[in-house]
């Protein structure tokens, strides 16, 4: 069964505890936390103190997606704040620094992950494949919620699944961006195992029904 990770980027920030408890009550699997610094992406969201505050609120895995410049500077703090999965963008720093960041994440007992922007080819992920517990394929440009799903990212997703099956079959493939009850089918068909949904989940009238549709 595919897992759903609702993104709190689309939640009511004045009532995050309520939103996160709702994810659990409605059958969601993970909580996706988008961290943006205004440098790597043109938006600023939340940081380490908020992740730390969210940790006691839920037993669901915190899937923390760092859309920040040079994440190696902060990965230890995010792990200590309570991240279960910590994703860095391969475009955010040098290969050397990113590999070191993944090693640090893993050494602290957290699951390391990388993300690829739409314009980044699958080949760019090759040096990271054996070090990752998860790879995130962006199907929108990172930075803002509510964007249209980019179906042309599916060949990249399928290629990554093929490569991972050869060198790291336990690595999870995640898709983030424009996921809803229609686009989720395409993601599943091409190897996605975790789907991030923000505006589609929080905008759903029946969130529990939405979760079931995505998972099944």
């Amino acid at each position: 069964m595919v897992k759903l990770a609702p993104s709190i980027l689309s939640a009511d920030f004045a009532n995050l505890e309520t939103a996160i408890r709702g994810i659990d009550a409605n059958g969601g699997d993970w909580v996706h936390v988008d961290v943006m610094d205004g440098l790597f992406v043109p938006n600023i969201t939340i940081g380490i103190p908020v992740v730390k505050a969210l940790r006691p609120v839920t037993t669901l895995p915190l899937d923390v997606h760092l859309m920040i410049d040079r994440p190696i500077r902060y990965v230890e703090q995010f792990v200590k704040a309570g991240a279960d999965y910590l994703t860095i963008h391969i475009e955010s720093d040098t290969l050397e620094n990113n590999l070191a960041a993944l090693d640090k994440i893993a050494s602290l007992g957290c699951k390391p992950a990388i993300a690829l922007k739409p314009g980044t080819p699958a080949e760019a992920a090759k040096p990271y494949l054996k070090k990752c517990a998860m790879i995130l394929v962006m199907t929108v440009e990172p930075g803002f919620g509510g964007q249209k799903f980019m179906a042309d990212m599916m060949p990249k997703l399928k290629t990554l699944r093929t490569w991972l099956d050869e060198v790291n079959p336990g690595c999870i493939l995640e898709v983030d961006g424009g996921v809803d009850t229609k686009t989720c089918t395409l993601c599943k068909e091409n190897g996605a195992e975790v789907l991030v949904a923000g505006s589609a989940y929080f905008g759903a009238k029946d969130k529990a029904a939405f979760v079931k549709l995505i998972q099944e």
Side-chain angles (χ1 to χ4, degrees):
M1 187 174 72
V2 169
K3 289 182 169 60
L4 177 66
S7 169
I8 62 169
L9 181 63
S10 298
D12 177 359
F13 271 38
N15 295 284
L16 283 181
E17 180 176 354
T18 300
I20 289 174
R21 292 193 187 282
I23 291 171
D24 199 349
N26 289 317
D29 300 288
W30 295 1
V31 176
H32 190 82
V33 183
D34 289 306
V35 178
M36 307 181 194
D37 65 356
L39 294 173
F40 182 69
V41 292
N43 194 12
I44 298 174
T45 53
I46 61 179
I48 297 159
V50 175
V51 174
K52 186 176 182 180
L54 297 179
R55 181 65 281 173
V57 170
T58 181
T59 58
L60 294 178
L62 289 184
D63 175 24
V64 180
H65 178 191
L66 300 184
M67 287 169 271
I68 66 174
D69 187 53
R70 293 171 290 153
I72 192 171
R73 300 174 296 160
Y74 298 107
V75 294
E76 182 171 355
Q77 292 96 314
F78 276 104
V79 172
K80 289 181 176 178
D84 292 290
Y85 285 82
L86 190 58
T87 303
I88 65 171
H89 268 266
I90 64 175
E91 309 91 354
S92 65
D93 206 342
T94 65
L95 172 62
E96 181 182 16
N97 283 347
N98 283 339
L99 290 173
L102 293 176
D103 285 339
K104 182 177 281 289
I105 293 166
S107 73
L108 293 166
C110 183
K111 294 181 174 63
I114 58 165
L116 290 79
K117 287 183 177 183
T120 301
E123 286 74 15
K126 280 190 170 182
Y128 302 95
L129 297 182
K130 293 182 179 181
K131 287 185 177 287
C132 291
M134 183 171 72
I135 296 178
L136 168 56
V137 174
M138 296 296 300
T139 44
V140 299
E141 288 295 338
F144 296 93
Q147 298 182 61
K148 186 178 179 181
F149 178 82
M150 299 170 71
D152 55 350
M153 293 298 107
M154 294 300 99
K156 181 195 295 186
L157 185 67
K158 192 170 185 177
T159 295
L160 287 169
R161 183 70 270 164
T162 299
W163 292 345
L164 287 169
D165 286 344
E166 294 174 357
V167 301
N168 188 5
C171 184
I172 295 168
L173 271 183
E174 182 177 52
V175 171
D176 182 3
V179 172
D180 58 25
T181 54
K182 294 180 180 179
T183 59
C184 71
T185 301
L186 198 55
C187 296
K188 295 174 191 177
E189 290 173 349
N190 286 279
E193 297 158 278
V194 179
L195 299 177
V196 178
S199 54
Y201 167 80
F202 283 102
K205 291 183 179 179
D206 187 336
K207 292 180 176 60
F210 176 86
V211 170
K212 286 184 179 179
L213 282 170
I214 296 290
Q215 291 171 334
E216 296 171 358

